[in-house]
Amino acid sequence: MFKINENYQKLPGSYLFSTIAKKVAAFSEANPGKEIIRLGIGDVTQPLAPAIIEAMHKAVEEMGNADTFRGYAPDLGYGFLREAIVEHDYKPRGCNISADEVFVSDGAKSDSANIQEIFSAGNRIAVCDPVYPVYVDSNVMAGRAGVYHGESGTWSNVVYMPCTMENGFVPEFPKEVPDMIYLCLPNNPTGTTITKSQLQEWVDYANRVGAVIIYDGAYEAYISEEDVAHSIYECEGAKECAIELKSYSKNAGFTGVRLGYTIVPKELKCGEVSLNQMWARRHGTKFNGAPYIVQRAGEATYSPEGKAQLEGQVAYYMKNASAIKNGLQSAGYTVFGGVNAPYIWLKTPDNMTSWEFFDFLLERANVVGTPGSGFGPSGEGYFRLTAFGSYENTLTALGRIKGL
């Protein structure tokens, strides 16, 4: 008789955002007249920029012509997009990245879950706490996380780096030496980040202890402060210890289009084994490439028109973030984030648990957010709101919350 991967059975409950969706659906069914404003999941709401739409239309026309039709994409992605990534995302920042170190994919979520496949199941991971759930869950599925302790909400083989109000939500070097370190900066869910010099310390630490950093830079476009790195490869020695994940979802609105890329430097090795070659093998075996039309859309984000239009969209969402942050602060809430990231991280009032505050907002204000405990034990007592709604809905939601 066939057997299943029993590691899946170790996962507690359902995926965080699936649980939220079910609770909201149940509330909507019971209260059909209520207008719900969703500021929970980090999904964009503004339409694709005109430069992107134009590029997609052109690519569609090409796909309808025998002379310009494209079939399977190259394993790593089309050269036109990989070269654009190098020229616009890395060269201006002094990062020596080559096109054959760029792996185009269907998004950073997929890559953040799949990248662990090239590492030994015996490796120990370190994560910030709170953390994006995919990092931990994908390692649970691979059998790397150990035993789940329900009372503490932790896994026995995971090293947790608490990010709390007391340490400014900035991770500190773990007391136990890990093999793999997940960093998301600017951070989801707390919205905080670190300086270039602080990031350099992490690179130095990883090289010193022989760990690899999985660096999620999905929110890089939202950085507004000067002394914050846009890429980990701005740090000396990062090519020997770091893999970087990037996404077009939040900077270009590709949540429904699906496009991202991962950088695996050729200098990154385990002994004499190249992780670049390993990821290329995995990529070529398990992935048939992002669609040509979508990769042309990605290329359009680097055109002068595309850049200007996307800067406008980022500014739109950060205007929302500022409104939420300032409005909640004026109402007496303790609020963090909203400067270098489109997330607001707030302390729940009146000693409510994260899920109690979720239910309170949903039932009393008809506003959906994300309970902090869903991101890990250190997220208990906190709550995340996103700035990805429309400005009008954001102001309406803010007014409802302030009126409670």
Side-chain angles (χ1 to χ4, degrees):
M1 182 178 177
F2 69 87
K3 292 181 172 59
I4 60 170
N5 179 350
E6 294 185 357
N7 292 311
Y8 278 68
Q9 306 307 303
K10 298 178 182 179
L11 290 165
S14 61
Y15 183 57
L16 170 63
F17 295 106
S18 298
T19 301
I20 291 173
K22 290 176 183 177
K23 288 177 75 74
V24 174
F27 180 84
S28 295
E29 185 176 352
N31 301 272
K34 301 289 187 180
E35 181 189 1
I36 297 174
I37 298 177
R38 291 169 169 81
L39 300 180
I41 191 169
D43 195 3
V44 295
T45 55
Q46 294 300 294
L48 295 175
I52 294 170
I53 293 296
E54 182 179 352
M56 294 180 79
H57 277 303
K58 182 179 178 182
V60 168
E61 292 296 328
E62 290 178 9
M63 294 296 280
N65 187 308
D67 293 333
T68 53
F69 172 79
R70 307 288 183 114
Y72 289 124
D75 285 353
L76 274 64
Y78 283 103
F80 60 78
L81 178 57
R82 288 160 42 225
E83 291 290 349
I85 289 167
V86 170
E87 290 297 320
H88 296 275
D89 287 346
Y90 290 99
K91 278 191 177 180
R93 297 178 180 125
C95 305
N96 184 26
I97 299 298
S98 59
D100 57 359
E101 295 173 315
V102 180
F103 296 82
V104 176
S105 73
D106 60 353
K109 180 178 182 178
S110 299
D111 287 348
S112 66
N114 294 331
I115 194 68
Q116 53 78 26
E117 289 188 21
I118 65 174
F119 296 98
S120 166
N123 282 346
R124 196 167 192 192
I125 69 167
V127 297
C128 296
D129 175 30
V131 65
Y132 181 46
V134 172
Y135 307 156
V136 175
D137 287 0
S138 59
N139 279 281
V140 173
M141 294 171 179
R144 195 177 286 114
V147 178
Y148 183 68
H149 301 296
E151 290 186 5
S152 63
T154 60
W155 294 88
S156 62
N157 204 40
V158 174
V159 178
Y160 291 89
M161 301 180 291
C163 298
T164 64
M165 188 164 58
E166 288 69 31
N167 64 13
F169 303 102
V170 174
E172 299 171 358
F173 297 140
K175 295 177 181 177
E176 303 172 81
V177 177
D179 303 296
M180 300 160 61
I181 303 168
Y182 286 81
L183 294 178
C184 175
L185 297 166
N187 185 258
N188 175 21
T190 66
T192 56
T193 193
I194 60 178
T195 65
K196 290 181 182 179
S197 61
Q198 288 174 308
L199 185 57
Q200 181 67 61
E201 291 176 4
W202 277 99
V203 170
D204 294 342
Y205 170 80
N207 279 321
R208 185 167 63 251
V209 302
V212 63
I213 295 174
I214 311 299
Y215 189 81
D216 188 344
Y219 303 96
E220 167 270 325
Y222 291 85
I223 293 172
S224 62
E225 296 179 324
E226 287 293 326
D227 194 26
V228 177
H230 288 257
S231 167
I232 195 169
Y233 303 118
E234 294 178 43
C235 297
E236 185 177 351
K239 293 192 73 176
E240 285 78 35
C241 70
I243 293 172
E244 183 164 274
L245 315 174
K246 287 288 186 72
S247 169
Y248 293 86
S249 287
K250 303 306 192 293
N251 69 319
F254 280 25
T255 53
V257 176
R258 307 309 305 151
L259 188 66
Y261 65 85
T262 289
I263 305 295
V264 186
K266 285 176 284 189
E267 292 91 331
L268 182 55
K269 296 182 178 181
C270 179
E272 295 302 314
V273 179
S274 166
L275 270 66
N276 177 280
Q277 292 179 9
M278 288 184 70
W279 187 241
R281 183 71 167 96
R282 190 267 173 206
H283 212 61
T285 301
K286 293 193 173 185
F287 185 63
N288 259 343
Y292 172 72
I293 297 166
V294 173
Q295 293 197 48
R296 281 298 188 191
E299 179 190 32
T301 66
Y302 298 108
S303 70
E305 298 82 7
K307 285 183 177 180
Q309 290 162 10
L310 296 191
E311 285 176 3
Q313 286 197 353
V314 168
Y316 179 94
Y317 292 131
M318 290 310 291
K319 180 181 178 182
N320 290 348
S322 179
I324 296 171
K325 183 171 187 174
N326 293 334
L328 291 180
Q329 285 179 331
S330 68
Y333 286 85
T334 302
V335 186
F336 309 92
V339 176
N340 293 301
Y343 293 122
I344 306 300
W345 187 244
L346 61 116
K347 194 161 181 57
T348 58
D350 303 324
N351 294 316
M352 288 187 189
T353 67
S354 299
W355 280 107
E356 285 173 347
F357 190 60
F358 174 90
D359 292 334
F360 178 73
L361 278 191
L362 179 59
E363 294 167 7
R364 297 282 297 277
N366 308 145
V367 172
V368 178
T370 308
S373 60
F375 297 101
S378 291
E380 182 55 85
Y382 293 93
F383 201 78
R384 192 192 76 172
L385 294 173
T386 81
F388 288 121
S390 70
Y391 185 63
E392 294 74 19
N393 280 349
T394 297
L395 294 183
T396 300
L398 183 61
R400 292 180 187 177
I401 296 172
K402 292 172 71 174
L404 293 174

